[in-house]
Amino acid sequence: MKHLLKQGSSLSLLIVACLLLSSCWSSSPIEDVNLEAGVALDVAEETETEQDLAQKGGEYPKRNKVSCTYQFLIPQGAIGSKKEGAQSKNYYNATQTGDSIFEAVRELSLRSNRLPIGHHLKTIVIGEELARTTKLSELIEFFSRDNDIRPSVLLFISKGKAREVFRDSLPGQTPAFVLNGTFNNRRRITRIWEPVSMAKVVGPLHGHTSFALQNVVVSGKETKFSGVAVIKGSTGKLGGFLDEAELDGLVWLTGKGEGGSVKTYSSDNNKLVTYEITGMDSKIKASVNGDKIAFHVLIESKGRIAEAYFAGGERLVGGTIRKARETLEKKVQDMVKTTVRKMQHELQADVAGFGKSLQIQHPSVWNKVKTNWDTVFSSVPITYEVKLNIEDYGASSTTSD
């Protein structure tokens, strides 16, 4: 009898659970919600639509500090989602200007019959002007607190207006998804920084540590990753940029590249030689002598010769290979030095992890300098060593000693 009662209770609970789940699934049909794909944050600048609505009474009490542009996905099957004889976008953008990001998205609920949902939010792009004047921690405050939004949302800076990044796209593409997908090309090129999510910036922001975010620029319907933005630990705001070539140096310096290439010209005949990276590693060694801190960086890589114009299709001999390797190693070292010079003397921000190495290797010294590390870092001497291991010379060439 007890066994039967127990079975009956379990069956009742299962039925109730199924009813609750089915209720949840059917409470908000996909065609009745606005799925947030991306958010662009800029300094306050009302759109023509906002100004027109305000003149007609569609205004509410606020201070204009930030413009929030939401990119919403248009559900398949929604009324008006497809136009006959024309390719329609699968997204639309809506901007609301105010002083509260939370209030802004709620205000957009007055302009659509679909409920905004943040479960699928992928990207947050912050415009340069806003990032220079407002702490990043304040700009992502709402998103980090909202239970609907995942902490894996990726952060970007745009050198220009962030809303322009979401403005247009090539046919069949959604700008917010294009940004995320571009990181898949890290195995092809070293000019893409590692993806940085909201979860990853919490530690640096609270620890007042400088870090880098991918910068994105736009032209017409195309976006392009273009270097990185440097968020200074002392201010929590945008401090400046490293361009594409300087990002190349940063990736080599940190060993965070997944693939790519480096090119240079032979010193004796000025012919192009290109090295394809199949692996890289970097070790930062901190040394302390009294109050003096110094670093030595060892960069190692393996790869192949992808182009060698000076060879003329003929056999690559040992001396030629050695010269090519030495020329490529010097090129990498020069790139790294240029990047560090800018970090130390112009930006005064360590985004390469020198402080982290010091903290691990000499914790007592780190505790003395961590409160003003970026300033200390700006005058620390650094030496470099680059070792490239050429394992392959291409299908069209053979080698000889």
Side-chain angles (χ1 to χ4, degrees):
M1 177 65 74
K2 288 182 179 179
H3 181 67
L4 290 174
L5 287 173
K6 192 172 183 179
Q7 278 189 329
S9 299
S10 299
L11 183 60
S12 299
L13 287 172
L14 183 60
I15 293 171
V16 171
C18 289
L19 288 172
L20 289 173
L21 285 173
S22 62
S23 174
C24 179
W25 291 337
S26 62
S27 61
S28 296
I30 190 69
E31 63 270 17
D32 292 341
V33 298
N34 266 330
L35 300 177
E36 299 168 11
V39 181
L41 304 177
D42 289 297
V43 292
E45 183 181 351
E46 290 186 325
T47 61
E48 291 184 7
T49 299
E50 289 181 276
Q51 294 173 10
D52 188 43
L53 289 172
Q55 290 176 359
K56 295 174 179 178
E59 184 64 286
Y60 66 98
K62 59 185 172 67
R63 299 177 183 177
N64 286 342
K65 292 185 176 181
V66 58
S67 287
C68 310
T69 301
Y70 280 82
Q71 184 158 97
F72 296 112
L73 300 179
I74 299 175
Q76 294 297 317
I79 297 175
S81 63
K82 288 187 178 181
K83 298 177 183 177
E84 285 188 29
Q87 171 108 28
S88 61
K89 294 179 181 178
N90 59 356
Y91 67 90
Y92 77 95
N93 300 331
T95 300
Q96 183 62 52
T97 301
D99 48 5
S100 166
I101 296 174
F102 175 66
E103 187 177 42
V105 70
R106 291 299 178 90
E107 182 71 12
L108 287 175
S109 299
L110 302 177
R111 293 161 56 181
S112 173
N113 65 325
R114 301 190 185 108
L115 178 69
I117 297 294
H119 299 104
H120 297 276
L121 184 66
K122 299 297 183 184
T123 61
I124 298 174
V125 184
I126 303 170
E128 177 184 359
E129 188 177 351
L130 183 65
R132 286 188 183 276
T133 57
T134 309
K135 290 184 177 182
L136 185 66
S137 57
E138 295 177 4
L139 295 174
I140 66 171
E141 164 73 13
F142 159 68
F143 303 104
S144 61
R145 287 184 182 273
D146 193 330
N147 292 330
D148 286 344
I149 296 174
R150 296 183 176 98
S152 58
V153 173
L154 299 184
L155 301 177
F156 298 82
I157 300 294
S158 175
K159 204 169 187 180
K161 291 183 180 179
R163 72 172 71 169
E164 295 297 313
V165 176
F166 290 160
R167 183 185 60 185
D168 215 340
S169 69
L170 297 174
Q173 294 185 334
T174 303
F177 293 163
V178 170
L179 294 184
N180 278 40
T182 304
F183 282 112
N184 295 330
N185 296 327
R186 292 181 67 209
R187 65 179 68 92
R188 311 289 294 179
I189 190 168
T190 53
R191 293 169 191 164
I192 300 177
W193 188 233
E194 61 180 350
V196 180
S197 65
M198 286 199 301
K200 285 186 178 181
V201 303
V202 172
L205 287 174
H206 283 270
H208 304 289
T209 303
S210 298
F211 60 94
L213 293 177
Q214 183 67 54
N215 176 54
V216 58
V217 294
V218 61
S219 175
K221 295 184 177 182
E222 293 192 38
T223 57
K224 182 185 181 182
F225 281 11
S226 181
V228 290
V230 173
I231 307 299
K232 286 182 64 69
S234 58
T235 64
K237 302 175 184 178
L238 173 64
F241 294 88
L242 295 175
D243 63 24
E244 289 187 44
E246 291 158 348
L247 174 55
D248 250 336
L250 180 62
V251 170
W252 278 99
L253 182 62
T254 57
K256 291 183 177 180
E258 295 183 1
S261 63
V262 59
K263 69 177 181 182
T264 189
Y265 289 83
S266 173
S267 57
D268 53 354
N269 57 16
N270 200 35
K271 295 293 185 179
L272 178 72
V273 56
T274 305
Y275 170 83
E276 182 181 7
I277 305 159
T278 57
M280 72 163 59
D281 186 43
S282 174
K283 293 182 176 66
I284 299 176
K285 175 68 175 177
S287 60
V288 178
N289 184 8
D291 293 332
K292 296 181 179 179
I293 302 169
F295 292 99
H296 179 73
V297 182
L298 172 61
I299 298 170
E300 295 181 287
S301 171
K302 59 181 180 179
R304 60 184 290 271
I305 296 296
E307 292 176 296
Y309 291 175
F310 58 84
E314 300 175 358
R315 178 176 298 182
L316 295 175
V317 297
T320 304
I321 295 170
R322 185 170 57 255
K323 285 182 180 179
R325 184 179 63 248
E326 291 172 353
T327 304
L328 287 163
E329 288 173 344
K330 184 179 184 305
K331 174 65 175 181
V332 172
Q333 190 168 131
D334 288 345
M335 287 194 301
V336 170
K337 285 182 177 179
T338 299
T339 299
V340 172
R341 191 179 302 118
K342 183 159 184 184
M343 286 195 301
Q344 286 187 308
H345 304 308
E346 184 176 330
L347 299 174
Q348 290 194 339
D350 170 21
V351 295
F354 286 96
K356 187 67 175 178
S357 297
L358 181 64
Q359 180 183 9
I360 295 171
Q361 298 166 23
H362 300 276
S364 59
V365 177
W366 169 252
N367 288 332
K368 296 178 182 178
V369 299
K370 63 181 181 180
T371 54
N372 62 334
W373 171 241
D374 280 341
T375 302
V376 174
F377 167 72
S378 65
S379 60
V380 170
I382 303 171
T383 55
Y384 310 90
E385 184 179 358
V386 179
K387 296 180 180 179
L388 303 186
N389 182 20
I390 302 175
E391 298 181 326
D392 183 19
Y393 307 93
S396 64
S397 296
T398 58
T399 62
S400 173
D401 292 333

